[in-house]
Amino acid sequence: MNLQEKELLALQALDTELGQLATELQGLDRGERVERALAQRKAKQQAAEKRLANLESEQRASELELKALEEKKHHESRRLYEGRITATRELQALQMEIGSLDRQRQRLDDQILRRMEEIATTRATVAATTEASQEAERALKVMRRRYDRESTRIQGLIAAKQPERDSIASRVTPDVLRRYEEIRRRNHNIAAVRIQNGACGGCRMKVGSNVYRRMQTQDSYVFCESCSRYLFLPEEDAT
Ligand SMILES: [Zn+2]
């Protein structure tokens, strides 16, 4: 028998292992989910920071306005108590002006107080969202380190197996190898199987007795009638 059963099955065993490693590599968590969470948390943090900056700037403006109002009131009060204005109508007008300034100041005071509370709340939000962002950053770092470590390990295993795979493949007749590769591409990485419990080891279809006979008597490759993979006798029957 010049069938390359041993080589093809050894090649298949290696390709199966390499395929599993490739799947494992592909399935590694690169941290995309944590990356998305981080982006969302960063956006919330930035929104809170922006809101805080706006509130603080509004507060500074209100405080300046308050100061100006107080100066104006001080000025008008001095005019009132200096006693230079004696006309009743003018005095009344001045008192009304001072009253109006008082009310404006009261409104501004209230506004400043309310905003102080808002600023305190927003500062707490900034602190909480910053903490949440940092937590996601730390988690992402851990995941990336784990991914790097795992992918390096798997790539190392793949690289270590490749020379053996190349060496076996180089011993297989080119036509046979070409067909093997073609079947493997089409059939989920499996191209050469033994019969197991009377069925194809690839697709589990029962192997007919005529196929069995052909395998035992002929000196040529037999392919599964259902999945067209290279078919070999069970280990105990193999010669
Ligand atoms: Zn089959």
Side-chain angles (χ1 to χ4, degrees):
M1 261 205 179
N2 57 7
L3 297 188
Q4 295 182 296
E5 170 176 335
K6 214 179 87 207
E7 286 82 356
L8 283 174
L9 288 171
L11 197 56
Q12 180 62 68
L14 273 171
D15 280 337
T16 299
E17 248 183 285
L18 285 166
Q20 279 160 357
L21 288 171
T23 304
E24 203 185 327
L25 186 61
Q26 222 163 19
L28 285 182
D29 191 344
R30 289 168 179 267
E32 279 108 336
R33 196 182 51 80
V34 180
E35 236 168 51
R36 281 195 297 277
L38 175 60
Q40 279 170 359
R41 289 178 183 193
K42 278 261 181 223
K44 277 187 191 163
Q45 182 192 341
Q46 279 158 4
E49 281 168 352
K50 196 175 167 201
R51 177 157 170 69
L52 181 62
N54 284 342
L55 284 169
E56 283 172 343
S57 132
E58 280 168 19
Q59 195 72 324
R60 277 193 298 276
S62 291
E63 275 157 6
L64 284 176
E65 204 184 327
L66 184 65
K67 197 164 166 243
L69 269 177
E70 275 166 352
E71 274 164 11
K72 194 167 177 196
K73 194 200 154 189
H74 181 71
H75 176 75
E76 301 291 29
S77 299
R78 212 169 50 206
R79 277 179 68 210
L80 185 66
Y81 296 114
E82 267 170 2
R84 283 194 203 146
I85 299 162
T86 49
T88 314
R89 187 171 296 186
E90 236 180 300
L91 277 173
Q92 277 175 346
L94 195 54
Q95 276 166 341
M96 273 174 71
E97 166 73 6
I98 290 169
S100 157
L101 286 173
D102 265 339
R103 284 191 298 279
Q104 282 180 53
R105 201 186 64 173
Q106 189 57 49
R107 273 201 301 275
L108 208 50
D109 267 341
D110 291 347
Q111 209 181 60
I112 287 171
L113 268 176
R114 272 200 309 275
R115 202 182 283 120
M116 270 170 77
E117 280 169 27
E118 250 186 295
I119 285 174
T121 310
T122 311
R123 275 205 185 115
T125 307
V126 168
T129 52
T130 302
E131 171 58 32
S133 293
Q134 286 167 350
E135 189 199 328
E137 261 164 10
R138 284 193 296 272
L140 190 59
K141 238 182 238 168
V142 169
M143 296 205 77
R144 284 193 173 143
R145 264 204 304 273
R146 188 184 304 154
Y147 173 80
D148 287 345
R149 198 174 55 231
E150 281 298 290
S151 64
T152 304
R153 179 184 69 83
I154 295 169
Q155 277 161 354
L157 290 174
I158 290 174
K161 291 203 179 299
Q162 205 57 48
E164 192 188 348
R165 203 260 172 209
D166 292 344
S167 145
I168 296 172
S170 72
R171 294 204 299 273
V172 178
T173 313
D175 281 352
V176 174
L177 184 64
R178 201 173 306 123
R179 181 150 186 181
Y180 168 90
E181 296 293 15
E182 225 178 83
I183 300 169
R184 200 163 68 88
R185 252 197 310 282
R186 279 203 317 266
N187 266 332
H188 310 286
N189 198 32
I190 299 174
V193 294
R194 285 192 191 283
I195 292 173
Q196 284 167 3
N197 305 318
C200 164
C203 71
R204 308 284 162 209
M205 273 290 280
K206 200 111 188 85
V207 175
S209 51
N210 57 324
V211 175
Y212 250 109
R213 249 195 318 280
R214 253 173 43 224
M215 291 176 83
Q216 278 156 337
T217 55
Q218 289 181 13
D219 200 11
S220 63
Y221 288 105
V222 171
F223 298 92
C224 171
E225 287 173 334
S226 164
C227 69
S228 74
R229 291 180 170 109
Y230 281 93
L231 209 52
F232 297 105
L233 288 169
E235 209 151 7
E236 62 269 25
D237 301 351
T239 47

